[in-house]
Amino acid sequence: MGFALQCSNYGYSICFPHRFPFSQTPLSFHAYHWNGFKSARENHKVVLSAMDERSSNLGSQRKRKIVEHVCLLRAKEDLSEEEENDMLDYLYTTQYQMGGVVAISLGRISAPNPEHYTHALYMRFQRKENLEKFYENPFYLKVLKDHVMTYCHGLINVDYESEVEDDMLSIFRKGEEFNHGVEFVLLISFNKVALGNLVEHALASLASMMLGSPSLIVQFTQGLNFSPSSKEYTHGVVIRFRSVEAFKIFIHSKEYQDIWLSKFQPIVQKSLSLHFSVDPVGTEIM
């Protein structure tokens, strides 16, 4: 399976192949050090060459629209481990109480951030209608009241539409590659005076960089925030990295920093980036 790059209403997605034709063994990220991104770009040429035959019909591959939901929480400072597990456990099980949820990940945010958010919840829905029903679902509302807001003093939601390959593993984020790694969330508010083509160009530059990072990234989506409950941020981005090492290589790379400084910083009013580790199912919360 190849990878796909889509652009629609400032919404992009990239899905990378589940197996790389140029390697039959797991990648060693320690070999990259901080210049690893350059190596990844060089390997990209090999990836494209080796995948040419398999991706010759890439343009005709079907895509599936999906809706991404990100919820950030501010937990109270004296939150106990038992209370934290209760909150995350109930949030995780909401997927079994309603239709339309196709993927979920959640956890404690790994580093301090200016907005003091402590936990993140990511969910994927089939359609906007499913997300609307989710917000109104009695079970979810009860979970919020009894098992979330009891422990938290604030939250923010960001929702956006994107596309992924019409493939079961890509849509449902299933398979070995999605069992672990790092979930990176980037929320952006562009200046109102920023021209549309500047915004689109900045997002396209970021998407293009994702395309050159198949050894680091499993999946990437971004789009325009349409959440009715929060307009603080205009756009959302979610990137699943293959490991903590892959996340560090990317985030500290000169290429990423250059794109941010040259393309985003001049037109961004506000931004927030955070990440959390995803552990194999069954070893932590559940």
Side-chain angles (χ1 to χ4, degrees), residues 1-282:
M1 182 178 69
F3 45 74
L5 170 62
Q6 292 295 315
C7 172
S8 175
N9 294 328
Y10 300 149
Y12 302 79
S13 75
I14 295 176
C15 300
F16 296 101
H18 299 286
R19 294 180 179 84
F20 297 110
F22 62 86
S23 175
Q24 300 300 323
T25 58
L27 292 171
S28 173
F29 293 103
H30 297 286
Y32 280 99
H33 303 294
W34 293 119
N35 65 347
F37 194 82
K38 183 178 180 181
S39 299
R41 291 191 64 184
E42 293 173 353
N43 285 340
H44 177 224
K45 296 179 181 179
V46 181
V47 176
L48 293 181
S49 176
M51 292 175 60
D52 248 356
E53 289 187 29
R54 299 171 60 188
S55 303
S56 58
N57 63 342
L58 183 60
S60 62
Q61 287 182 355
R62 294 181 59 187
K63 309 298 185 300
R64 175 72 62 89
K65 286 186 176 181
I66 45 85
V67 173
E68 309 282 60
H69 168 70
V70 176
C71 178
L72 304 182
L73 303 165
R74 292 190 189 98
K76 61 183 184 180
E77 293 184 5
D78 59 346
L79 184 72
S80 68
E81 183 178 353
E82 181 180 357
E83 291 171 336
E84 180 183 38
N85 288 338
D86 177 74
M87 176 179 70
L88 296 180
D89 183 58
Y90 268 93
L91 284 172
Y92 188 86
T93 55
T94 56
Q95 65 182 307
Y96 305 119
Q97 304 296 325
M98 60 198 76
V101 181
V102 297
I104 184 172
S105 66
L106 73 171
R108 183 188 303 169
I109 295 171
S110 300
N113 58 87
E115 301 296 328
H116 306 292
Y117 290 110
T118 58
H119 296 78
L121 166 69
Y122 160 85
M123 302 181 80
R124 174 174 290 172
F125 293 84
Q126 294 180 14
R127 293 177 293 273
K128 287 184 179 180
E129 305 89 86
N130 299 123
L131 177 62
E132 293 170 357
K133 292 179 180 178
F134 166 77
Y135 275 123
E136 300 173 352
N137 187 282
F139 178 83
Y140 174 65
L141 293 176
K142 183 172 176 56
V143 167
L144 275 184
K145 178 183 177 182
D146 298 341
H147 302 280
V148 177
M149 300 316 297
T150 301
Y151 308 133
C152 298
H153 54 82
L155 63 78
I156 185 175
N157 295 310
V158 170
D159 306 316
Y160 64 90
E161 189 176 55
S162 190
E163 289 184 336
V164 295
E165 282 191 23
D166 195 3
D167 169 89
M168 296 296 285
L169 295 180
S170 298
I171 296 170
F172 290 89
R173 297 180 119 218
K174 296 297 183 182
E176 185 178 350
E177 291 183 320
F178 283 107
N179 285 342
H180 52 82
V182 171
E183 208 81 86
F184 176 65
V185 176
L186 173 63
L187 305 182
I188 305 169
S189 178
F190 288 101
N191 294 325
K192 293 181 180 179
V193 296
L195 297 177
N197 60 336
L198 293 178
V199 174
E200 185 174 5
H201 183 62
L203 294 174
S205 297
L206 181 61
S208 179
M209 187 180 178
M210 301 299 107
L211 186 63
S213 315
S215 59
L216 306 179
I217 297 169
V218 181
Q219 194 176 74
F220 159 82
T221 61
Q222 65 183 25
L224 182 67
N225 177 30
F226 62 81
S227 173
S229 62
S230 176
K231 296 298 182 182
E232 185 176 354
Y233 296 97
T234 61
H235 292 73
V237 178
V238 173
I239 307 173
R240 170 62 71 86
F241 287 93
R242 298 184 181 278
S243 67
V244 174
E245 291 86 354
F247 165 73
K248 290 180 179 179
I249 289 170
F250 181 90
I251 213 69
H252 290 284
S253 69
K254 185 177 184 301
E255 286 83 351
Y256 176 71
Q257 294 178 9
D258 286 348
I259 285 179
W260 184 262
L261 290 174
S262 64
K263 306 295 184 182
F264 283 85
Q265 189 164 290
I267 59 175
V268 168
Q269 177 179 344
K270 182 179 181 180
S271 66
L272 176 66
S273 61
L274 49 86
H275 66 283
F276 61 93
S277 295
V278 179
D279 295 300
V281 175

